[in-house]
Amino acid sequence: MDLALLYDVLDVSEDFGPGYLLFAARKQHYTLPYLVLSALAREGAPMSEAARGELARAQRRAAHYEAVLERVAAEVPVRPVKGPLLARAYPPDLLRPQGDLDLVTVGEPDLWRAVRLLMADRPRHVGVSVLGAPERHVVVTLSGPAEDPLLDPELRVEVATAALVGDQGAVPIRAVMPADVLTSNLLALAEERFQRPFHPRDAIDLHQLGRSADLSAGLSPPELVAAASLYHLAPELAELLAYAQEKAPLGALAPLVGDALAAAADAERARRAAVPADAPLAPGAEAALAAGVPLYGMPLRRTEEQLAARAGWERARVHRFGGDEALLLTPVGDYLLVTGELVGQEQYDAALRELDGLAGESA
């Protein structure tokens, strides 16, 4: 990994210089400038005080996530997804672009134990979502201001009971990642395709994974294809590999491009096409809970007294009211479960009245 490769991946002529390279990185992904700045620093390029400050903050950001992972993992069985695992493939003097920290637990009790530990950082926002049926999965996102809130993206940690949530259609939730780190990384990157197109950071990640002797030493293409099939990600992995190969050399991953995944990708596309379309969903949280589609928690109330009173809770509790509405009562706050971004004032007020009634009953 060097500046020449970054110029190639970002499709920038070296004649334009590092300023244009950094500008191109910012347009592609908000974390890519961190990698470019660390590469410039490694090669001794002249850097302004502002550039050195941005790099230093990014390094402290990465160290913060490492410390959070170490602190939580010391007390709760959690497994990181992507970020810290992908960083192992990068040289120590290059900063792998990491926007947030994703953690997976086995079951809700460990999820809430991890979240309680993270609450010590006093996050500004705690978002909770539920999805899946008949087994319910929970996703908790905790976020707070960055070191420089005007210039840097917020700090964010996500804890979930499901490693991969699929496409909310033919691709199901898969709760546990493969034990092999290389396979886990590739599948997690491929899963991103359900949310967005692939971009240069993905190509750089694959370039580094293919060059990492530690991670790719035991690479078995047949086993990786089998894992992609098992996790229903062969089409996305094939697309990712083809995209990345156009941007950068893939090293040990190159044999996977092309025919290696073609049959598995075709089989997965045929499987998806055969899955019956879901019937139209009735409005309201009740129908969404039964169908397992994602429901998002609109924050209603969170107090220190509430956190102390629910210290022994191991699971969130769904409280249904009003025919088709639902509250999610969690160890870290109360939420109105909604299917969309807009909530009417009447719906919000009704949720608060129901919450006040519950508080009165428990008083």
Side-chain angles (χ1 to χ4, degrees):
M1 169 71 72
D2 56 17
L3 280 174
L5 178 73
L6 292 176
Y7 277 107
D8 286 343
V9 172
L10 293 170
D11 196 23
V12 174
S13 170
E14 292 193 41
D15 294 338
F16 290 160
Y20 197 89
L21 178 67
L22 192 58
F23 175 73
R26 293 191 195 282
K27 290 197 298 181
Q28 291 293 336
H29 193 270
Y30 70 94
T31 64
L32 262 180
Y34 307 156
L35 174 60
V36 173
L37 287 168
S38 66
L40 288 168
R42 184 174 71 167
E43 298 197 11
M47 296 177 69
S48 67
E49 182 178 349
R52 290 194 300 272
E54 183 176 0
L55 176 58
R57 292 195 310 275
Q59 290 168 332
R60 290 192 291 271
R61 180 189 186 90
H64 167 77
Y65 284 139
E66 290 175 3
V68 168
L69 174 58
E70 182 177 353
R71 172 163 56 93
V72 175
E75 299 193 38
V76 183
V78 296
R79 184 174 181 186
V81 179
K82 292 179 298 185
L85 299 181
L86 286 164
R88 296 183 191 177
Y90 282 68
D93 53 358
L94 281 182
L95 196 58
R96 192 267 165 183
Q98 184 177 350
D100 55 13
L101 176 64
D102 295 320
L103 304 175
V104 178
T105 67
V106 179
E108 269 196 67
D110 280 345
L111 176 137
W112 294 116
R113 287 176 61 203
V115 169
R116 286 190 183 95
L117 291 172
L118 293 166
M119 292 295 289
D121 295 332
R122 305 189 72 83
R124 177 179 295 173
H125 175 75
V126 182
V128 182
S129 301
V130 298
L131 67 161
E135 180 183 1
R136 184 181 74 193
H137 287 280
V138 181
V139 181
V140 181
T141 304
L142 305 97
S143 58
E147 180 180 337
D148 189 330
L150 290 178
L151 298 177
D152 303 326
E154 66 181 6
L155 296 168
R156 189 171 65 251
V157 180
E158 183 172 283
V159 191
T161 58
L164 303 173
V165 300
D167 66 352
Q168 312 309 321
V171 179
I173 294 171
R174 287 128 303 153
V176 181
M177 295 298 289
D180 178 69
V181 174
L182 176 63
T183 303
S184 175
N185 277 324
L186 289 173
L187 295 182
L189 288 170
E191 175 91 355
E192 289 289 307
R193 188 61 182 89
F194 295 133
Q195 284 76 50
R196 59 168 175 82
F198 295 124
H199 55 60
R201 186 182 67 165
D202 304 313
I204 295 169
D205 281 340
L206 260 65
H207 169 76
Q208 290 301 122
L209 287 172
R211 285 168 49 89
S212 172
D214 290 341
L215 295 181
S216 62
L219 174 65
S220 167
E223 290 181 3
L224 188 53
V225 171
S229 297
L230 179 64
Y231 278 75
H232 305 293
L233 285 170
E236 289 69 33
L237 182 56
E239 181 183 345
L240 172 62
L241 287 160
Y243 169 83
Q245 188 184 50
E246 293 180 355
K247 297 285 187 181
L250 295 186
L253 299 180
L256 291 166
V257 179
D259 294 342
L261 277 161
D266 287 344
E268 173 60 18
R269 281 188 284 265
R271 186 198 68 81
R272 295 178 191 178
V275 174
D278 291 333
L281 190 64
E286 181 67 23
L289 284 167
V293 302
L295 279 161
Y296 309 100
M298 180 179 183
L300 296 174
R301 190 168 299 162
R302 187 178 98 206
T303 66
E304 294 300 324
E305 293 80 5
Q306 186 181 54
L307 297 180
R310 297 178 181 179
W313 284 28
E314 291 192 332
R315 297 182 183 277
R317 304 173 185 180
V318 175
H319 172 76
R320 295 167 171 82
F321 72 101
D324 60 358
E325 300 286 0
L327 299 176
L328 187 71
L329 313 178
T330 83
V332 296
D334 297 322
Y335 300 82
L336 171 64
L337 289 176
V338 296
T339 56
E341 296 180 2
L342 298 179
V343 176
Q345 187 67 47
E346 184 177 343
Q347 184 183 9
Y348 177 73
D349 291 342
L352 288 179
R353 288 195 299 271
E354 186 71 15
L355 198 57
D356 288 339
L358 290 176
E361 292 175 7
S362 61

